[in-house]
Amino acid sequence: MTFLEAIFARLQASAGRAVLCEIRDGREVSVTGGEMLGLVQRVRGFLAARGLERGDRCALIAPNSVRWAAIDLAMMAEGIIVVPLYARQPPAELAGMMKDSTPAEVFCSDASMAAGIQNQWDAAPPITLLDTVFSGEGDPSSAGPVRHTDSEAVTIIYTSGTSGESKGVVLNAGNLKHILGCTHAGLDQLMGPREEPDRIFHYAPFCFAASSILLLTALSRNSVLALSMDLSRLSDDLKLARPDYFLNVPALLERVRARIEETVRARGGLAAQVFSRAQRAYLARRNKEGALLDILCLYVANAVMFGTIRNSIGPTLKALICGSAPLAVETQLFFMMLGIPVLQVYGLTETTGICTMDDPRSIEPGRVGGAISGVEMTLDGNGEILVRGPNVFAGYWQRPDETARALDGGWLHTGDQGEVDARGSWRITGRLKNLIILSSGHNIAPEPLEQALLAGLPEAEQVVLLGNQRSFLAALVTARGKGGFDHGRIQSAIEALNHGLPHYKRVRAFHLVPEPFTIENGLLTTNGKLKREAIAARFASAIEQLYQKKSA
């Protein structure tokens, strides 16, 4: 049975119960498995009426919704290659990715987005709004999904490269089938034997690989997936959904941790003292240390405080699942202290989102678990993580040279550095490349932004972007010569740079360095390249103050 046939069979078996719901204005609007199949059949009829055929590529640009999931499934069921794109991406960048993938048709959520794309691409293919898709054109299809061969392309997901130019990662049916088998096995370990459906909460865009895998996993197992439709209501939506687990990026967990700690500090008094000592005792106990009074405070906090905090996050949570970017060990330990396990997942779009998964029965903070079933991982002489297995992508769309480099020697070269212990558990230690990964999971190539900012600042010698594992971008700007530098000029140049950029590419703060980086002061290589790690270490205190001030 193919992965799509398994999903259709699960929807049919769940014809009378909810499988997917949208949380809108404090209430859940659900669809049953039968209703979901009906939506998919309607979309398939529409696609056929438009003359779209197996092997065509179609772009899908919209926020998460039940209808997004129905269109995604319908395209795959017709053998159409889905090109999901980020709805918050600027039209110029969307147009660039679509010019690369040459879709036969574009499906998007609203007229303003369609107009923005058309303004950037005179030769754009037909652009259809989601409302039109469900308007009734064409006869609903009751046929089963096409049977993909393992090597047949199913989706093209775009990811940022070090040059700043996005590349289309081609994932095939074999990639998805293998990963879904692994996610089911991992969730079965977490949930154990049970008859009632898993309850899952979700907020990350479906256009990202890990998010797409979660959707397909949820639809192919006994579960109900609740979609948050308004990020400003995330906390309230989470309480309503009452999930067993949900997928996170580190930025959200760090915000939740900071909010809890600030709330406790604001209460002051004995509660704040007990909580602080309990945190210290929890960390000390892991090292088989700790003062008696701290240990007593940990016992008290666990008895009277932690349960209340757990309930405020999610009273039924079995675990939080975290990926897309490195998670601070302190944050992982914080939630474990509260009694909420945090399972880490490591992977790239090129590995169908996943290479490793934590075992729920054996979590080691700071590590991302062992390689998933059927997947090999090793280190080359530079400490770079290499991966091969049925999860590794088929190649970059229309980029044979870059594909050959990425898959040199039959292994995927991840660009990540890591280490593995005797049990096979991996730790990600850094990146060989300069790609910045925000704590939100967004990947950003710094060079194009640095050059653009320099172009607007003739008084500057260098610009270095910061933000790895942080929640936003900041910049170090070096002055040229000794004539002084107007901070207002830098701010104006940054505002000009930020105009039209997506939220995650905007520079939010800067620090002025009075002298340039040079070979002599150890901050440039002999051929004039920035020593980014050395710069970050030299200005660590200023960088930390920069982020603390901006976050305050």
Side-chain angles (χ1 to χ4, degrees), residues 19-153:
V19 296
L20 201 59
C21 72
E22 298 173 358
I23 304 178
R24 295 186 176 276
D25 299 323
R27 65 189 187 93
E28 294 182 328
V29 181
S30 302
V31 294
T32 65
E35 290 168 338
M36 190 66 185
L37 279 175
L39 291 173
V40 173
Q41 291 166 351
R42 188 187 307 174
V43 177
R44 292 183 68 184
F46 180 92
L47 298 173
R50 286 297 178 98
L52 295 167
E53 299 178 345
R54 186 171 186 162
D56 285 341
R57 294 169 300 284
C58 287
L60 176 54
I61 317 169
N64 291 358
S65 67
V66 168
R67 297 197 305 181
W68 196 105
I71 294 174
D72 186 40
L73 285 181
M75 286 184 185
M76 289 190 286
E78 290 293 299
I80 294 168
I81 300 171
V82 187
V83 185
L85 300 172
Y86 189 31
R88 296 180 65 183
Q89 205 89 356
E93 294 185 13
L94 291 172
M97 288 181 277
M98 287 186 285
K99 288 176 184 178
D100 182 66
S101 58
T102 59
E105 191 156 351
V106 177
F107 297 90
C108 69
S109 55
D110 57 69
S112 63
M113 181 183 294
I117 294 168
Q118 288 170 328
N119 288 339
Q120 296 291 332
W121 189 11
D122 292 337
I127 301 177
T128 302
L129 302 185
L130 265 57
D131 286 341
T132 304
V133 176
F134 293 91
S135 63
E137 180 181 345
D139 296 324
S141 170
S142 58
V146 302
R147 290 187 64 88
H148 292 94
T149 63
D150 280 354
S151 61
E152 191 171 356

Side-chain angles (χ1 to χ4, degrees), residues 281-336:
Y282 183 79
L283 296 175
R285 191 175 67 174
R286 296 185 59 81
N287 298 321
K288 297 180 171 53
E289 301 171 353
L292 180 59
L293 182 57
D294 289 345
I295 294 172
L296 178 61
C297 286
L298 177 60
Y299 175 81
V300 172
N302 194 45
V304 302
M305 298 178 71
F306 293 167
T308 302
I309 296 172
R310 279 198 305 272
N311 286 338
S312 72
I313 301 170
T316 59
L317 275 176
K318 302 285 192 303
L320 298 168
I321 302 171
C322 192
S324 298
L327 175 67
V329 175
E330 295 80 9
T331 299
Q332 188 172 13
L333 287 170
F334 178 83
F335 285 97
M336 292 175 68

